[in-house]
Amino acid sequence: MCPGAGTTLPDDLVEVGYVGGAYGIRGWIKVQPHGEADALLNARTWWLKPAAGAVEVSTDWRVFPVGTSREHSGTVVAGSPAVPDRNVAEALRGCVVWVSRADFPAPDDDEFYWVDLIGATVVNEQQETLGTVTGLIDNGAHQILRIVGEGDVERLVPFVEVYVKSVDVAGQRIVVDWGLDY
């Protein structure tokens, strides 16, 4: 089940969750998604890797061709012909689940995948560069852009309409109403 024999590791993998354990007795697994389950439910192939280790071409990767998947109590449960029984499914507990970015469903207007915002340049309405998006934080009420600028100055800007004026995913540029001195 490792890449090889005609299967190559995609270069656009995005971590989307982890295997929490087996589900039922027929070899299904239960995945705890890191966010919305859309990417997991849309992709027909998942890539699993033990939790320790970085993303690299390795024999540790396992291909998980998704037979059936569905949401269940805040998780995603899925079966695969590659996982014939509960014992094999239990052995996958703790694996990190990756999906090709190409398999993500198209977002609705004014919706963005976090992975597409990371690396974007952030400028304010005065065209002053605040820095680059290095990550996002979910505080429960809304998301927060984590921006690192010159001199490793970190800014946290709420990702809400009052502060975020425009997002150009293709151009990797975000315009915000936020001063350099905030």
Side-chain angles (χ1 to χ4, degrees), residues 38-39 42-43 101-113 116:
D38 296 345
N42 196 61
R101 174 61 183 91
D103 288 336
F104 282 40
D108 291 334
D109 291 340
D110 294 330
E111 288 187 348
F112 311 96
Y113 287 112
D116 295 336

Side-chain angles (χ1 to χ4, degrees), residues 5 16 19-20 35 48 54 57 59-61 90 109-110 121 124 135 137 139 152 158 182:
V16 293
V19 179
L48 308 181
V57 176
T59 58
D60 291 342
W61 287 99
E90 276 296 335
D109 291 340
D110 294 330
T121 300
N124 61 19
I137 301 166
N139 75 354
D152 290 330
Y182 291 6

Side-chain angles (χ1 to χ4, degrees), residues 8-180:
T8 58
L9 192 66
D11 60 1
D12 65 344
L13 289 178
V14 177
E15 182 180 332
V16 293
Y18 65 91
V19 179
Y23 176 80
I25 61 171
R26 293 193 170 102
W28 283 42
I29 61 172
K30 184 179 350 181
V31 175
Q32 181 63 53
H34 291 322
E36 297 293 323
D38 296 345
L40 283 164
L41 295 169
N42 196 61
R44 301 316 325 147
T45 302
W46 298 348
W47 299 85
L48 308 181
K49 185 167 176 57
V55 179
E56 56 186 295
V57 176
S58 161
T59 58
D60 291 342
W61 287 99
R62 296 177 62 113
V63 178
F64 186 89
V66 180
T68 304
S69 64
R70 62 182 165 83
E71 289 187 86
H72 177 72
S73 300
T75 66
V76 173
V77 294
S80 171
V83 182
D85 60 46
R86 183 175 179 87
N87 293 335
V88 176
E90 276 296 335
L92 297 175
R93 179 187 298 270
C95 284
V96 180
V97 181
W98 302 74
V99 171
S100 170
R101 174 61 183 91
D103 288 336
F104 282 40
D108 291 334
D109 291 340
D110 294 330
E111 288 187 348
F112 311 96
Y113 287 112
W114 287 16
V115 68
D116 295 336
L117 300 179
I118 295 172
T121 300
V122 180
V123 298
N124 61 19
E125 294 177 305
Q126 292 74 39
Q127 299 306 308
E128 300 167 317
T129 301
L130 277 70
T132 303
V133 177
T134 59
L136 286 98
I137 301 166
D138 187 350
N139 75 354
H142 53 76
Q143 287 75 38
I144 299 170
L145 292 171
R146 182 171 177 259
I147 303 163
V148 176
E150 273 189 48
D152 290 330
V153 172
E154 182 179 78
R155 292 180 176 87
L156 301 176
V157 177
F159 194 70
V160 294
E161 189 174 349
V162 70
Y163 298 117
V164 178
K165 299 306 177 184
S166 68
V167 176
D168 177 3
V169 172
Q172 287 282 280
R173 182 179 167 91
I174 300 173
V175 177
V176 297
D177 181 8
W178 202 263
L180 283 177

